[in-house]
Amino acid sequence: MDAHRARSLHEGRLLSLPHVTGVGTGKDEHTGEDVIFVFVTRKVPRDRLRDEDVVPDELDGVPVRVLAIGEVSAQEE
């Protein structure tokens, strides 16, 4: 399955996880392969999360990368 389709199938569930603020697709900077990016306010060690709150390493065969981006807020123009 391609990264865009896998993201669209799983985006709702991913966005409901604690600390998750966004989901996207792109290329892994090291391997160049298509991946799903999950943006979080901060990374939390797996052993501190409930099993159902862990971001998976892959979705439908597509690798997942978790990126900590801090708090997100709207900017005024």
Side-chain angles (χ1 to χ4, degrees), residues 1-10 24-26 34-36 62:
M1 178 174 299
D2 75 19
H4 296 287
R5 180 156 166 70
R7 186 206 73 221
S8 68
L9 288 173
H10 298 280
T25 56
D34 290 335
V35 297
I36 297 170
V62 179

Side-chain angles (χ1 to χ4, degrees), residues 13-31:
R13 185 180 71 78
L14 291 169
L15 287 170
S16 72
L17 297 176
H19 311 291
V20 174
T21 58
V23 179
T25 56
K27 299 272 186 198
D28 182 276
E29 65 183 39
H30 301 290
T31 66

